[in-house]
Amino acid sequence: METEEEASGQMTDEIYTNGVDDESLSQQQQRRPIISGEQLDIEAYAALYTGRTKISRLIFIADKCGNVSMQLEALRMAYDEIKKGENTQLFREVVQKIDGRLGPNYSSDSGWMDAVDRRADQRKEKLENELNAYRTNLIKESIRMGYNDFGDFYYAHGALGDAFKNYVRTRDYCTTAKHIIHMCLNAILVSIEMGQFAHVTSYVSKAEQNKNDLDPITIAKLQCAAGLAHLEAKKYKHAARKFLETAPELGNNYSEVIAAQDVATYGGLCALASFDRAELKAKVIDNINFRNFLELVPEVRELIHNFYSSHYASCLEYLGNLKANLLLDIHLHDHVEMLYTQIRNKALIQYTHPFVSVDLNMMANAFKTTVAGLQKELEALITDNQIQARIDSHNKILYARHADQRKATFQRVLQTGIEFDRDVRGMLLRANLLKHDFNLKASRKI
């Protein structure tokens, strides 16, 4: 076992590698694009998405952010996007949130709403007549298309429950595997919008049963949908695996649900929170496919590399800068605090693992925190049995409770000797019983 002086020297070297005093590392960090705490570029962010999720994300940003100008910008973009569609219910909600703050051009437009509702009634009547005709003629493919058109109609008008019912009804009229996959993708899309992630998992499984008919883009979509379902269920390790398995063919082909940048962010953070060092290296850093996604979000790529390289100060700086924008993400918002806590705890455990003793003052400096705050974090981890150590509160030193290897070896040898002695005695007893014919013979059946 190393002495405390050796451990102190080793620990000092470790502190230097954490970016506290090393000049070369400081120069490296200056070249790295550490993002500032600037507010989210809403226009660039919204451009990554299409359809209903674009509007939902803009409204979510408006509800959650504390910046009034940012809030109004999100509502303005949501207003313009809704006017391109036919969802009058969502339009009323956005107008109510704007509350006249954007001027007369962004007020309630009763003429537009009446025209959309009128067209909707006509369209619905036409679809009903067509579907009834198809049912009368018993044409399976036409009935399937009729229900599918009804699902599209309800989805466009914001009636997600009715849209889901009609999409699912098409299953009875599916004649090929591709029809089933199409039905599953529609059901998954609506379920994600409704927040019914149990349905998402179910329909992902149904679609994956037709593996021979799945193309790479569809497989990537299913991986993302499954990842979102696991994320919502707080199964971060499963979520990380799904996002990491997503093929780069996804591109912007699933912009109605998720962007490629989201795959990198969700997958990277879930992996940091749940993977050990070996998994992080093999499944994230050395993953060529996932590297394509990470290139889109340099901040996440750098914090993963910093975490693996034990540059915790830099890693936590990246996390701190990303936090404000992550809290505005519609899927990640509820998980940011838990993920950050798990990542920080893993960093603390990883930092203390190699040493016999650690100076809490130096460790607090590496983690950019106070000694008192660090001590509370370590106490919680020790109580939870995640760190085997004890704290000298007076001298501010953490002493590791490493197992006594010499004692453990002797105990294993002694236990092996006891087991060997028992086995030999058992064999000798059996040999003597056989020798003196003291064995029980089976009685003959009459």
Side-chain angles (χ1 to χ4, degrees):
M1 179 174 299
E2 61 184 319
T3 62
E4 287 188 19
E5 289 79 13
E6 289 171 339
S8 178
Q10 187 178 352
M11 182 187 65
T12 305
D13 292 338
E14 176 72 3
I15 292 288
Y16 286 160
T17 63
N18 276 304
V20 179
D21 292 315
D22 189 80
E23 292 181 3
S24 63
L25 185 62
S26 177
Q27 291 170 359
Q28 288 176 17
Q29 289 179 344
Q30 288 174 5
R31 292 195 296 270
R32 288 175 183 160
I34 294 182
I35 61 168
S36 62
E38 294 176 3
Q39 68 182 33
L40 182 69
D41 184 345
I42 299 178
E43 191 169 350
Y45 177 76
L48 300 173
Y49 307 97
T50 56
R52 185 183 173 88
T53 193
K54 181 175 183 177
I55 299 165
S56 299
R57 287 171 183 268
L58 287 168
I59 294 172
F60 187 84
I61 290 171
D63 289 342
K64 297 297 179 182
C65 77
N67 187 316
V68 177
S69 63
M70 191 173 171
Q71 183 183 49
L72 292 176
E73 176 67 10
L75 290 172
R76 181 188 66 76
M77 292 184 68
Y79 182 99
D80 291 337
E81 193 66 27
I82 292 169
K83 287 291 284 278
K84 297 175 185 176
E86 300 176 319
N87 193 338
T88 54
Q89 181 184 351
L90 203 56
F91 180 77
R92 291 187 184 94
E93 289 179 18
V94 170
V95 168
Q96 189 175 0
K97 290 177 186 293
I98 292 172
D99 195 25
R101 291 178 291 173
L102 290 171
N105 292 333
Y106 290 90
S107 59
S108 181
D109 189 342
S110 57
W112 176 82
M113 287 189 290
D114 291 341
V116 168
D117 289 340
R118 214 167 29 247
R119 286 198 302 272
D121 291 338
Q122 294 170 359
R123 172 73 173 155
K124 185 178 180 182
E125 186 178 353
K126 182 185 175 184
L127 289 173
E128 285 174 346
N129 292 334
E130 288 177 350
L131 184 57
N132 289 332
Y134 298 149
R135 280 174 174 170
T136 303
N137 297 327
L138 297 175
I139 306 170
K140 286 189 82 171
E141 176 59 15
S142 297
I143 296 172
R144 185 186 73 82
M145 292 297 293
Y147 278 123
N148 204 64
D149 289 341
F150 252 118
D152 292 342
F153 170 80
Y154 284 122
Y155 181 76
H157 288 83
L160 298 179
D162 291 326
F164 181 78
K165 288 176 187 175
N166 281 278
Y167 283 139
V168 172
R169 280 174 186 161
T170 65
R171 188 180 182 189
D172 295 333
Y173 304 95
C174 291
T175 54
T176 67
K178 287 187 177 180
H179 290 166
I180 294 173
I181 293 167
H182 185 254
M183 179 275 297
C184 289
L185 286 173
N186 285 332
I188 288 167
L189 174 63
V190 179
S191 298
I192 290 172
E193 294 286 354
M194 292 193 297
Q196 301 289 337
F197 286 94
H199 290 322
V200 174
T201 304
S202 173
Y203 283 99
V204 166
S205 298
K206 283 186 175 72
E208 287 177 340
Q209 289 171 8
N210 303 281
K211 288 187 177 180
N212 294 332
D213 296 279
L214 293 172
D215 59 78
I217 293 174
T218 304
I219 292 171
K221 288 181 178 181
L222 295 175
Q223 298 282 17
C224 288
L228 288 175
H230 288 310
L231 177 65
E232 186 65 25
K234 294 182 171 64
K235 297 177 181 177
Y236 300 128
K237 192 160 193 173
H238 294 298
R241 285 174 179 162
K242 289 296 181 182
F243 289 123
L244 293 172
E245 290 168 4
T246 303
E249 284 85 358
L250 179 75
N252 59 358
N253 290 302
Y254 210 24
S255 57
E256 64 270 27
V257 172
I258 195 171
Q261 285 85 342
D262 295 331
V263 174
T265 304
Y266 300 169
L269 291 178
C270 288
L272 279 179
S274 58
F275 284 4
D276 57 32
R277 282 180 63 81
E279 283 182 302
L280 198 64
K281 174 69 172 169
K283 296 181 179 177
V284 182
I285 296 172
D286 293 341
N287 186 334
I288 296 172
N289 285 337
F290 193 66
R291 198 177 297 163
N292 294 318
F293 291 108
L294 286 176
E295 292 300 323
L296 300 172
V297 192
E299 301 81 24
V300 175
R301 181 194 65 208
E302 290 300 328
L303 74 87
I304 289 171
H305 283 282
N306 286 337
F307 185 91
Y308 183 76
S309 304
S310 301
H311 301 151
Y312 301 118
S314 178
C315 173
L316 294 173
E317 185 178 357
Y318 276 114
L319 284 171
N321 288 330
L322 283 169
K323 188 172 184 179
N325 290 346
L326 294 179
L327 287 169
L328 298 178
D329 186 281
I330 196 167
H331 293 299
L332 207 59
H333 173 268
D334 294 330
H335 308 279
V336 171
E337 294 297 340
M338 187 177 293
L339 286 170
Y340 270 46
T341 300
Q342 290 185 16
I343 292 169
R344 186 175 178 87
N345 287 347
K346 279 189 68 180
L348 291 168
I349 294 166
Q350 240 176 240
Y351 186 100
T352 59
H353 183 69
F355 308 120
V356 171
S357 62
V358 179
D359 187 329
L360 295 188
N361 291 295
M362 298 180 76
M363 188 174 175
N365 191 20
F367 281 87
K368 305 291 185 190
T369 186
T370 61
V371 174
L374 176 65
Q375 191 168 325
K376 284 184 180 179
E377 289 183 89
L378 291 172
E379 285 170 2
L381 290 171
I382 292 169
T383 304
D384 201 31
N385 209 31
Q386 293 188 56
I387 293 179
Q388 306 296 324
R390 63 187 188 278
I391 298 172
D392 181 345
S393 298
H394 179 70
N395 295 314
K396 302 302 178 187
I397 296 174
L398 179 81
Y399 292 103
R401 289 178 179 169
H402 290 302
D404 188 335
Q405 297 295 333
R406 190 164 180 265
K407 182 180 178 182
T409 302
F410 278 123
Q411 285 180 336
R412 283 200 302 273
V413 170
L414 185 60
Q415 183 62 31
T416 303
I418 291 169
E419 291 172 359
F420 179 77
D421 180 69
R422 183 194 62 205
D423 292 343
V424 170
R425 286 176 182 274
M427 286 189 289
L428 290 171
L429 177 61
R430 178 176 172 77
N432 278 315
L433 287 171
L434 291 170
K435 180 180 177 181
H436 294 91
D437 203 26
F438 284 171
N439 57 323
L440 182 63
K441 295 179 180 179
S443 58
R444 284 183 66 185
K445 293 182 179 179
I446 300 173

